[in-house]
Amino acid sequence: MTLKLSVVDQAPVHNGQSQVSALHSSTKLATLCDELGYHRFWLAEHHDTASYSSSCPEILISHIAQHTKNIRVGSGGVMLSHYSPLKVAETFRTLEALNPGRIDLGVGRAPGGTDKTSLALAFPNNPNDVSLYPHMLSDLSDFLHDSFEANHPYDGINATPIGAQAPQLWTLGTSTGSIELAAQLGLGFVLALFIGTHERSTDIIRHYKKRFKANGKGFKTAQAILSVACICADSKEEAAYIAAPNMYWKVMAFRHGIREAIRSPEDALDRYKKLSLSDKAYYQETLDTVISGTPAECRSDIEELAMDYDVDEVMLVNVIYDFADRCASYSKLMDEFSK
């Protein structure tokens, strides 16, 4: 299989259980994905969200790395605006030291929560202005690789543990916003198509590759991943049924600011009938962005997207109410790609 498949996990709360249970489900899913042959397993960062338990990806990464053997484990991503670049560098150098050659550090500029949550995370200071993100990302790269220039205020500071290798550093983006930064700093780039419903040109990653500048710190050549929502089932209809809870959740979250628990498919579809016409249109628009259907249908769509965007790795995300259905989706897809 020349196309690598990977996973993004938001640690969703399955089957109406607790957020604590969701953390253990993430570990079980990672173990399964490791056995199936997936290339990476990344944990997202969300705060104060009833449906997701992934508020501390670095802790989950450590736990999952110890319960898997081959799969790369990382963040997708750490919301860097909340944290000190030095602290993030030391956390992930420690993870890399304990799990050599298996740790990825994906970072993003989004808050991963509400404005109120950002205030609490920054207390007693104020949240960092988004304009600081490029500077913070550059500092993070330099801390990871001990590469500050002699006249830099941080020159001489050693991110510990000294001697630990730097993890792979990736920046996450939903459109063209992070391309120039990733290319300029020599970082890997992940285009997240599963966030939002707006069109993303297939030239985005080609532009990143064209602008990429190796700097001796991380990647020698441009590295890009496409991240998409994918639900694999025995039929297109079953996949749409399984997708209903997350589609309804997105309607409530992004159109009404209500971040509730993930409902069952039956409940979500019943509530769908009572939505306004504009909400129903957004529901369908969101569903249209999900790769869904039989294993063969999903494989065909994934391969076509990978070819269109010129990538050799696709990272898959799904939020499904039933944990067994989620495991089955990843299993069916890998079985198809292994033929």
Side-chain angles (χ1 to χ4, degrees):
M1 184 176 65
T2 57
L3 183 64
K4 294 190 288 289
L5 297 182
S6 295
V7 174
V8 176
D9 178 34
Q10 296 166 307
V13 178
H14 292 291
N15 305 83
Q17 296 179 350
S18 69
Q19 288 199 328
V20 173
S21 295
L23 299 178
H24 295 288
S25 293
S26 288
T27 305
K28 293 177 183 177
L29 181 63
T31 302
L32 172 65
C33 290
D34 186 30
E35 295 170 352
L36 291 172
Y38 281 88
H39 185 56
R40 305 178 201 270
F41 192 92
W42 282 9
L43 288 308
E45 178 180 338
H46 293 278
H47 299 281
D48 191 29
T49 304
S51 52
Y52 301 141
S53 296
S54 54
S55 57
C56 299
E58 58 274 34
I59 294 178
L60 267 176
I61 290 167
S62 178
H63 182 71
I64 286 173
Q66 294 300 308
H67 284 77
T68 52
K69 297 178 180 180
N70 301 307
I71 198 167
R72 296 188 65 90
V73 189
S75 57
V78 166
M79 300 296 100
L80 185 59
S81 60
H82 297 310
Y83 311 114
S84 152
L86 173 58
K87 179 58 178 176
V88 174
E90 292 192 321
T91 297
F92 277 81
R93 282 176 68 127
T94 300
L95 288 169
E96 176 67 22
L98 295 172
N99 307 278
R102 292 184 58 206
I103 301 299
D104 299 328
L105 170 52
V107 297
R109 72 176 78 206
T114 64
D115 291 342
K116 188 175 182 180
T117 306
S118 294
L119 286 170
L121 285 167
F123 182 83
N125 302 309
N126 294 318
N128 288 315
D129 189 276
V130 69
S131 63
L132 291 175
Y133 180 76
H135 183 72
M136 297 175 73
L137 187 56
S138 177
D139 284 352
L140 174 60
S141 178
D142 283 332
F143 275 127
L144 286 172
H145 297 96
D146 301 311
S147 58
F148 284 107
E149 296 181 355
N151 60 348
H152 195 283
Y154 297 153
D155 179 47
I157 296 178
N158 294 308
T160 56
I162 295 172
Q165 296 297 309
Q168 289 188 3
L169 181 56
W170 300 78
T171 183
L172 285 55
T174 59
S175 57
T176 58
S178 299
I179 290 176
E180 294 293 339
L181 188 57
Q184 177 186 346
L185 296 177
L187 310 179
F189 177 69
V190 182
L191 179 60
L193 295 184
F194 71 92
I195 299 177
T197 60
H198 53 292
E199 290 291 329
R200 265 64 66 99
S201 169
T202 55
D203 290 331
I204 289 176
I205 290 178
R206 291 183 178 87
H207 182 70
Y208 153 73
K209 291 181 177 181
K210 183 178 179 181
R211 303 282 291 178
F212 182 86
K213 297 179 181 178
N215 54 22
K217 300 177 186 178
F219 294 108
K220 296 179 181 179
T221 59
Q223 302 292 318
I225 300 174
L226 195 66
S227 184
V228 299
C230 177
I231 295 179
C232 188
D234 290 333
S235 68
K236 191 80 171 178
E237 293 74 21
E238 182 184 358
Y241 175 81
I242 293 171
N246 192 223
M247 299 305 101
Y248 182 81
W249 186 92
K250 288 189 174 184
V251 170
M252 301 308 295
F254 301 139
R255 287 184 59 85
H256 302 283
I258 301 172
R259 296 172 179 266
E260 58 184 14
I262 301 170
R263 300 180 180 275
S264 68
E266 296 86 350
D267 191 6
L269 288 170
D270 184 58
R271 290 171 181 269
Y272 167 83
K273 299 174 185 176
K274 304 170 187 177
L275 293 176
S276 66
L277 289 178
S278 60
D279 280 349
K280 287 182 178 178
Y282 183 78
Y283 179 106
Q284 188 60 49
E285 180 183 346
T286 305
L287 182 59
D288 288 343
T289 67
V290 179
I291 292 176
S292 63
T294 65
E297 289 171 333
C298 289
R299 176 176 181 171
S300 177
D301 289 345
I302 289 169
E303 290 178 333
E304 183 177 354
L305 268 181
M307 183 176 297
D308 289 345
Y309 281 91
D310 190 25
V311 298
D312 62 7
E313 182 174 353
V314 177
M315 190 166 276
L316 309 167
V317 58
N318 59 41
V319 176
I320 296 175
Y321 176 78
D322 188 87
F323 182 63
D325 288 339
R326 192 158 177 241
C327 292
S329 177
Y330 285 116
S331 297
K332 292 175 188 291
L333 187 64
M334 184 56 81
D335 286 345
E336 177 65 27
F337 269 89
S338 299
K339 291 180 179 178

